């Protein structure tokens, strides 16, 4: 026996070859379907289908509405809530609101809704329409047949992929536990050796401190000598004090370069004093004088062509100021820079770790053989620890990816799984769109530029059936609007391809996508329609 309900294409073939089963020849009241015929029996009174009233059968279709549900007037427009059944022999029967009966507009292809006007323009074209509908249905059934074959293969592949992922998850979990142990072990080794390394470096820290201090002392001695030389040179009367008049003789202090050094100009360099002895000079006057002094002496450069004297002075001044290293701004910049570097990713931290924990000196300390050996061993231990840490992180990432993938819904039979990892493009006049199922949707202007994300995988959002629409949400923000999002209609087709892209609302996109994965005979609408007709 035929299992008609599971083989729609066989049914269609049958109908196509032998023609439709004629249901129109059985007499029945106008406007009712064959299935309701037993409810309308002329040899007894009629009970409204909602049970509210029983009336003589003669009152059925008498163009007067008796029943609240309109069931006594299936063939007239008398009841506002009634429905009229068009048999449409040769094509599909339909129900129309009975208000459309005899309204001068052809609604049924068999013209049965316009019976009051025998000369109306309505003609019965059900056979013609039915024929082309059946050809269409046949084509669709063939597509469904071929597609469902591929769907089964895709489903098998999906099931296998899922199984493989489950197995991979087990392996990864085992590897992760091992990697955690290794990391712990490496961490302990590192800590042990670093302890020894630190201990060995301890004595060098003292030496380094001493060296540093010595260097600082030398440097401040140099500064002081430099200041003293300048003081003695400016103190022309050699009285151990620097006075305004002594500065006024030197063009270096002509700040406004007008050829004259006023008392105010000179006083500025003495920090508003009238005279200063060396200590005061060193503390308050020298920091002001030094940049000008350096400009006028060793850092002086001949003017560049095109540059004004003022430009040159400003440049020389800046260089000199930098050399003195006493401007707050510069210190702040350096601090900012260091902070930025502090935000750098792990790579740098790792590199740092490979160095001895605290750098002893960039300069001249030489470690003894034992210390060098310990530094080498500690550096190797840090390297191994970092490597173990990296392996663990990689495993964790892989594990998360497999877990996430296992949680995704690839269809009732895993039939959509194989689409993941592929991308499907569609180009219109302005943009190239890319659908990467279960991942994201992007848009790129044809003229180039960066991709705009139109959404990331957000799940299935079908209304009729769960798997007929995909949703991609949380895309790039729309200017002055919401985040972009995309709905993808998924339909049965012989191959996986995006057939159209539209933007029904600003920043809301609609893709039409066909794929054999959606050729599910269990959900086919055509087969249901054909059953109706039968
Ligand atoms: C871009 C594209 C369009 C979108 C506008 C909104 O031009 O993403 O699809 O409508 O931005 O401003």
């Amino acid at each position: 026996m035929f299992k008609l309900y599971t083989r729609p294409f066989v049914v269609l073939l049958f109908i196509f070859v032998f023609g439709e089963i004629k249901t129109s020849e059985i007499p029945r009241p106008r406007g009712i379907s064959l299935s309701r015929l037993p409810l309308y029996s002329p040899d007894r009174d009629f009970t409204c289908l909602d049970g509210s009233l029983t009336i003589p059968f003669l009152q059925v279709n008498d163009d007067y509405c008796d029943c609240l549900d309109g069931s006594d007037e299936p063939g007239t427009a008398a009841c506002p809530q009634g429905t009229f059944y068009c048999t449409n022999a040769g094509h599909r029967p339909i129900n129309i609101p009975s208000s459309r009966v005899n309204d001068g507009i052809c609604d049924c292809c068999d013209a049965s809704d316009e019976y009051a006007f025998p000369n109306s323009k309505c003609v019965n074209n059900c056979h013609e329409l039915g024929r082309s509908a059946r050809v269409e249905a046949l084509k669709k059934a063939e597509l469904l047949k071929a597609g469902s074959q591929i769907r089964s293969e895709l489903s098998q592949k999906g099931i296998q992929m899922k199984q493989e992922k489950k197995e991979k998850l087990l392996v990864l979990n085992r590897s992760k536990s091992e990697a955690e142990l290794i990391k712990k072990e490496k961490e302990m080794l590192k800590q042990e050796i670093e302890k020894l390394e630190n201990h060995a470096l301890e004595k060098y820290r003292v030496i380094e401190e001493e060296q540093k201090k010595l260097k600082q002392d030398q440097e401040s001695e140099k500064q002081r000598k430099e200041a003293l030389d300048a003081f003695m040179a400016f103190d022309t009367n050699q009285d151990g004090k620097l006075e305004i008049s002594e500065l006024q003789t030197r063009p270096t202090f002509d700040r406004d370069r007008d050829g004259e050094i006023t008392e105010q100009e000179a006083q500025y360099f003495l920090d508003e004093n009238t005279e200063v002895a060396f200590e005061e000079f060193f503390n308050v006057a020298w920091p002001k004088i030094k940049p000008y002094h350096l400009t006028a002496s060793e850092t002086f450069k001949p003017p560049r062509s095109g540059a004004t004297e003022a430009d040159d002075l400003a440049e020389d001044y800046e260089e000199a100021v930098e050399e003195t290293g006493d401007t707050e701004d510069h210190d702040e910049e350096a601090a900012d820079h260091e902070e930025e570097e502090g935000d750098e990713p792990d790579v740098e931290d790792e590199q740092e770790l490979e160095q001895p924990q605290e750098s002893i000196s960039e300069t001249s300390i030489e470690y003894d053989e034992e210390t060098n050996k310990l530094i080498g061993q500690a550096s190797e231990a840090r390297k191994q620890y970092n490597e173990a840490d990296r392996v663990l992180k990689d495993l964790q990432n892989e594990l998360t990816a497999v877990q996430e993938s296992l949680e995704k819904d690839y269809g009732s039979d895993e039939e959509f799984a194989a689409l993941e990892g592929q991308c499907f493009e569609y180009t219109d006049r302005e943009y190239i769109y890319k659908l990467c199922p279960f991942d994201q949707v992007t848009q790129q202007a044809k003229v180039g530029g960066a991709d705009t994300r139109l959404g990331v995988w957000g799940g299935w959002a079908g209304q009729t059936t769960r798997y007929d629409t995909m949703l991609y949400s949380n895309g790039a923000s729309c200017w002055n609007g919401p985040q972009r999002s995309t709905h993808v209609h998924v339909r049965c087709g012989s191959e996986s391809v995006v057939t159209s892209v539209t933007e029904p609302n600003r920043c809301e996109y609609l893709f039409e996508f066909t794929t054999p994965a959606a050729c599910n005979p269990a959900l086919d609408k055509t087969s249901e329609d054909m059953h109706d007709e039968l």
Side-chain angles (χ1 to χ4, degrees):
M1 205 178 123
F2 272 138
K3 282 193 174 173
L4 293 181
Y5 53 90
T6 57
R7 305 192 176 214
F9 35 86
V10 178
V11 178
L12 282 167
L13 208 60
F14 178 84
I15 292 163
F16 187 64
V17 175
F18 297 101
E20 74 289 344
I21 295 162
K22 296 218 185 245
T23 56
S24 58
E25 283 150 18
I26 299 162
R28 55 191 143 132
R30 201 189 292 278
I32 64 152
S33 66
L34 202 56
S35 60
R36 290 196 163 181
L37 184 57
L39 302 169
Y40 293 83
S41 178
D43 50 13
R44 57 174 190 265
D45 288 343
F46 174 74
T47 301
C48 304
L49 297 187
D50 63 2
S52 57
L53 187 69
T54 298
I55 53 173
F57 192 80
L58 275 176
Q59 285 177 224
V60 171
N61 278 343
D62 67 346
D63 210 12
Y64 181 84
C65 191
D66 297 287
C67 300
L68 284 172
D69 64 356
S71 55
D72 63 314
E73 294 298 319
T76 76
C79 293
Q81 64 280 58
T83 51
F84 180 87
Y85 176 84
C86 319
T87 303
N88 288 347
H91 193 26
R92 266 183 221 108
I94 53 167
N95 285 304
I96 59 169
S98 56
S99 58
R100 295 191 192 165
V101 172
N102 294 325
D103 64 351
I105 298 168
C106 322
D107 293 288
C108 307
C109 66
D110 61 4
S112 58
D113 59 317
E114 296 302 321
Y115 58 87
F117 307 106
N119 297 328
S120 79
K121 59 185 179 340
C122 300
V123 288
N124 184 341
N125 60 355
C126 287
H127 286 279
E128 207 178 298
L129 289 176
R131 205 169 304 122
S132 46
R134 281 189 292 280
V135 169
E136 268 312 301
L138 189 65
K139 266 197 214 152
K140 212 176 152 198
E142 276 166 358
L143 173 67
L144 185 65
K145 184 183 175 187
S148 65
Q149 182 63 39
I150 303 174
R151 181 183 180 275
S152 305
E153 289 160 19
L154 287 170
S155 162
Q156 278 169 23
K157 203 168 156 189
I159 291 166
Q160 190 187 334
M161 281 163 73
K162 189 169 195 170
Q163 187 54 31
E164 281 168 8
K165 276 180 209 155
K166 279 183 182 162
E167 281 159 19
K168 191 162 184 193
L169 199 66
L170 291 178
V171 175
L172 282 172
N173 267 320
R174 265 200 301 273
S175 307
K176 190 185 152 201
S177 307
E178 281 165 22
E180 275 166 352
L181 283 179
I182 294 174
K183 185 183 162 187
K184 234 178 213 139
E185 197 181 299
K186 298 288 177 195
E187 189 174 12
M188 273 164 60
L189 286 174
K190 179 173 90 78
Q191 280 169 352
E192 273 167 33
I193 193 78
E194 275 179 346
K195 222 183 204 170
L196 297 176
E197 181 197 39
N198 257 329
H199 184 70
L201 289 175
E202 205 53 55
K203 62 174 182 272
Y204 292 100
R205 286 210 179 89
V206 176
I207 299 173
E208 186 210 34
E209 281 308 312
E210 280 166 4
Q211 276 196 2
K212 218 157 112 192
K213 172 107 189 14
L214 192 68
K215 225 173 144 198
Q216 274 168 0
D217 290 350
Q218 281 167 353
E219 185 55 30
S220 55
E221 194 51 42
K222 197 178 140 209
Q223 297 283 338
R224 209 176 155 80
K225 177 155 185 328
E226 199 179 32
L228 187 62
D229 287 349
F231 182 83
M232 283 163 65
F234 298 150
D235 182 17
T236 39
N237 63 9
Q238 301 288 301
D239 66 349
K241 284 179 200 145
L242 197 56
E243 291 118 29
I244 288 174
S245 56
E246 281 166 330
L247 293 189
Q248 278 180 303
T249 61
R250 293 178 175 270
T252 313
F253 301 114
D254 183 7
R255 287 179 74 207
D256 57 11
R257 293 202 165 192
D258 67 350
E260 189 197 348
I261 302 153
T262 61
E263 273 193 17
Q264 282 84 355
E265 272 174 312
Q267 222 166 342
Y268 162 80
F269 289 104
L270 296 183
D271 198 37
E272 306 309 327
N273 294 302
T274 48
E275 56 175 37
V276 290
F278 178 68
E279 276 312 314
E280 208 172 359
F281 170 83
F282 183 59
N283 291 328
V284 296
W286 180 236
K288 287 186 169 167
I289 290 173
K290 190 175 176 181
Y292 286 82
H293 180 58
L294 291 177
T295 306
S297 53
E298 68 256 41
T299 63
F300 176 78
K301 288 181 225 131
R304 292 163 295 154
S305 60
T308 63
E309 257 185 64
D311 287 342
D312 284 326
L313 184 69
E315 199 177 283
D316 289 344
Y317 175 76
E318 272 166 27
E319 279 174 21
V321 165
E322 270 176 38
E323 275 182 40
T324 62
D326 63 352
T327 61
E328 285 176 13
D329 287 354
H330 283 277
D331 289 350
E332 274 170 23
E333 263 176 43
D336 286 351
H337 189 57
E338 273 167 29
E339 261 175 43
E340 274 168 29
E341 283 186 341
D343 291 340
E344 286 294 306
D346 290 345
V347 188
E348 286 217 343
D349 298 345
E350 282 176 18
Q351 281 169 353
E352 263 170 36
L353 279 174
E354 283 176 29
Q355 304 298 321
Q357 269 191 323
E358 254 176 69
S359 170
I360 289 300
S361 162
E362 296 129 23
T363 52
S364 57
I365 297 177
E366 276 193 13
Y367 307 122
D368 63 69
E369 205 182 314
E370 182 59 23
T371 307
N372 269 331
K373 202 170 139 202
L374 284 170
I375 292 173
Q377 284 172 345
S379 155
E380 178 59 25
R382 281 187 282 272
K383 212 165 120 191
Q384 288 197 18
Y385 168 76
N386 290 336
E387 175 61 14
D389 185 50
R390 192 190 56 74
V391 169
L392 182 61
K393 277 185 184 141
D394 287 353
L395 278 169
Q396 185 56 61
N397 289 341
E398 220 182 322
L399 205 78
T400 310
V402 177
Q403 261 162 347
E404 275 173 9
S405 172
L406 271 172
E407 278 159 21
K408 278 184 195 164
D409 182 350
Y410 294 111
S412 53
D413 302 314
E414 308 294 326
E415 67 274 26
F416 295 103
L419 293 176
E420 190 168 36
Q422 300 186 57
C423 292
F424 305 91
E425 282 191 6
Y426 181 86
T427 306
D428 69 7
R429 279 190 325 164
E430 222 179 323
Y431 299 107
I432 301 164
Y433 293 92
K434 211 191 266 179
L435 163 68
C436 305
F438 304 100
D439 183 13
Q440 63 168 354
V441 180
T442 57
Q443 176 197 54
Q444 191 198 27
K446 266 170 149 177
V447 290
D451 281 356
T452 303
R453 191 176 265 182
L454 304 186
V456 293
W457 172 242
W460 293 98
Q463 300 284 318
T464 326
T465 60
R466 178 171 169 75
Y467 301 110
D468 68 20
T469 306
M470 288 173 163
L471 172 65
Y472 294 83
S473 48
N474 297 327
S477 289
C478 197
W479 191 74
N480 256 349
Q483 279 182 285
R484 288 173 172 78
S485 63
T486 302
H487 279 89
V488 180
H489 284 165
V490 184
R491 303 287 178 259
C492 169
S494 54
E495 53 182 341
S496 296
V497 59
V498 176
T499 57
S500 91
V501 175
T502 50
E503 192 178 339
N505 296 307
R506 195 166 147 265
C507 294
E508 288 177 15
Y509 304 84
L510 178 63
F511 280 48
E512 295 295 335
F513 178 59
T514 66
T515 170
C519 299
N520 185 354
L523 300 175
D524 183 48
K525 185 88 175 59
T526 320
S527 59
E528 283 166 23
D529 290 349
M530 296 323 283
H531 281 300
D532 281 351
E533 198 177 353
L534 281 174

